[in-house]
Amino acid sequence: NMDVAVRERPDLVKQYFMTSCVPVHDHYFTALHAAVWSGGTFIYVPKGVKVTIPLQAYFRMNAERGGQFEHTLIIADEGSVVEYIEGCSAPKYDSAALHAGCVEIHVKKNASVKYMSIENWSKNTFNLNTKRALVDEDGVISWVNGNMGSGVTMLYPMSVLRGARSKSDFLGVAFAGPRQEQDTGHKVVLVAPNTSANVRSKSIALGGGVSTYRGLVKATPAAVDSSVSVVCDTLMMDGESRAITIPIIDDSAPDMTVEHEASVGRLNDAQIAYLSTRGLDGDAARRAVINGFLDPIVRELPLEYAVEFLELVNLEMEGAVG
């Protein structure tokens, strides 16, 4: 954990902690985080080391009216490979709580990092998290984010592709139920030639929930012959919920390829009717359609997390559809 890392590897912590990736002064909540942080995860993968089993961590907020400020610092040295998955949750209280964690990922030359996160905060939680990766030459960062729970979530993991031929993949799912606002998305900045980014965002809104995709693609003149694809899909479960898409694309690179696609849809009555003829009642048919909509993220998760994620979605839907 980060507390042990400060004692045993102060050289690495001092070099990478809130310096080039997420500076202390980045915004108000990173300044707060830097002042009061405690706990978290520290991972350093030496050159050429390939970790074959995903590393795992679990964060839980137990204090009423509490704040959680864990820090995750991942350093993948040249030619290394690592996968990391973390789960986050909080019990239900009547008073508000704050989660303002920070994730910093350094992907060195020809290294690969896959970061997976499933967040299921209680509805009294304000989830204001900061996540960012710096990717060097021929490096790869893969994000898999599942956001549910919380009263308000504002989370936009960011990839800075600063090395030639570096790559970023982002797959995010947000679930906004009653009294929930999920304001999520992805930011990618391309500052080197032949870089590429793939962004896939899927969201579900029901029971009056508000789901917002807020994304940024910024390509500098140095990002020659680079490419970006952004796809945003939202599934609306009723007429009370809202879906908002705010994609910003700032392309200053020569010979840049940019693709953007967005769709908002309602549950298909024909699909529900067909599934009903196959023996599923109305609720089971709706769950089947939603599970199919979420399939891309479920396939990326380890089995035990995939099962838990679908079960959490089904629990959120109980009493909210029908």
Side-chain angles (χ1 to χ4, degrees):
N1 61 54
M2 279 296 299
D3 297 332
V4 174
V6 169
R7 296 195 302 267
E8 297 187 1
R9 295 304 301 268
D11 53 335
L12 282 173
V13 174
K14 185 176 181 180
Q15 180 181 354
Y16 291 101
F17 183 87
M18 301 197 80
T19 54
S20 58
C21 190
V22 181
V24 171
H25 58 268
D26 200 62
H27 54 78
Y28 292 122
F29 289 100
T30 56
L32 174 64
H33 175 91
V36 301
W37 76 274
S38 64
T41 300
F42 175 83
I43 299 172
Y44 172 72
V45 188
K47 290 183 179 181
V49 173
K50 294 178 172 55
V51 183
T52 57
I53 299 175
L55 307 178
Q56 302 184 47
Y58 176 70
F59 301 109
R60 181 173 172 85
M61 188 188 306
N62 283 322
E64 187 172 4
R65 299 183 64 189
Q68 184 164 294
F69 305 91
E70 84 283 354
H71 194 94
T72 297
L73 178 56
I74 301 174
I75 307 158
D77 218 327
E78 292 186 15
S80 64
V81 177
V82 65
E83 292 187 12
Y84 170 73
I85 182 168
E86 63 183 22
C88 307
S89 67
K92 181 180 180 180
Y93 294 112
D94 293 329
S95 52
L98 170 65
H99 175 251
C102 182
V103 176
E104 298 184 282
I105 304 176
H106 296 263
V107 185
K108 299 297 186 179
K109 181 179 179 180
N110 203 37
S112 176
V113 175
K114 185 175 184 179
Y115 172 90
M116 296 171 280
S117 176
I118 301 297
E119 301 188 23
N120 184 37
W121 305 105
S122 56
K123 288 185 174 64
N124 64 298
T125 302
F126 289 84
N127 180 28
L128 309 173
N129 212 351
T130 303
K131 302 181 181 183
R132 191 170 301 160
L134 298 181
V135 190
D136 292 334
E137 183 179 349
D138 294 306
V140 177
I141 177 68
S142 298
W143 303 90
V144 180
N145 269 28
N147 290 99
M148 54 199 312
S150 83
V152 175
T153 287
M154 300 181 72
L155 176 59
Y156 324 99
M158 181 177 184
S159 299
V160 180
L161 303 180
R162 63 181 187 178
R165 298 174 301 282
S166 55
K167 182 180 180 181
S168 172
D169 282 313
F170 174 83
L171 175 59
V173 171
F175 188 101
R179 297 177 291 108
Q180 285 183 291
E181 186 166 345
Q182 294 282 356
D183 197 317
T184 60
H186 182 57
K187 299 179 181 180
V188 57
V189 179
L190 301 89
V191 294
N194 301 112
T195 51
S196 62
N198 186 33
V199 180
R200 290 177 293 164
S201 174
K202 304 177 81 68
S203 60
I204 296 174
L206 79 161
V210 180
S211 175
T212 301
Y213 172 82
R214 193 185 305 270
L216 169 68
V217 173
K218 183 175 179 61
T220 69
V224 182
D225 291 327
S226 296
S227 63
V228 175
S229 174
V230 180
V231 179
C232 313
D233 297 323
T234 300
L235 184 60
M236 303 285 290
M237 302 294 294
D238 52 54
E240 302 173 1
S241 304
R242 288 192 294 155
I244 304 167
T245 302
I246 309 174
I248 299 175
I249 298 177
D250 182 358
D251 177 15
S252 300
D255 300 319
M256 178 86 174
T257 301
V258 179
E259 299 176 356
H260 175 254
E261 177 184 339
S263 66
V264 177
R266 296 283 297 271
L267 274 180
N268 190 311
D269 291 338
Q271 289 179 324
I272 301 300
Y274 172 77
L275 291 172
S276 299
T277 66
R278 311 305 293 180
L280 299 180
D281 61 27
D283 286 345
R286 292 182 181 89
R287 284 195 294 269
V289 172
I290 290 175
N291 289 348
F293 181 76
L294 297 176
D295 184 64
I297 189 173
V298 172
R299 283 186 291 174
E300 295 291 332
L301 297 171
L303 178 60
E304 64 272 23
Y305 282 86
V307 172
E308 180 180 1
F309 179 72
L310 288 177
E311 184 61 27
L312 288 171
V313 171
N314 289 333
L315 288 173
E316 287 285 340
M317 289 175 56
E318 285 186 3
V321 297

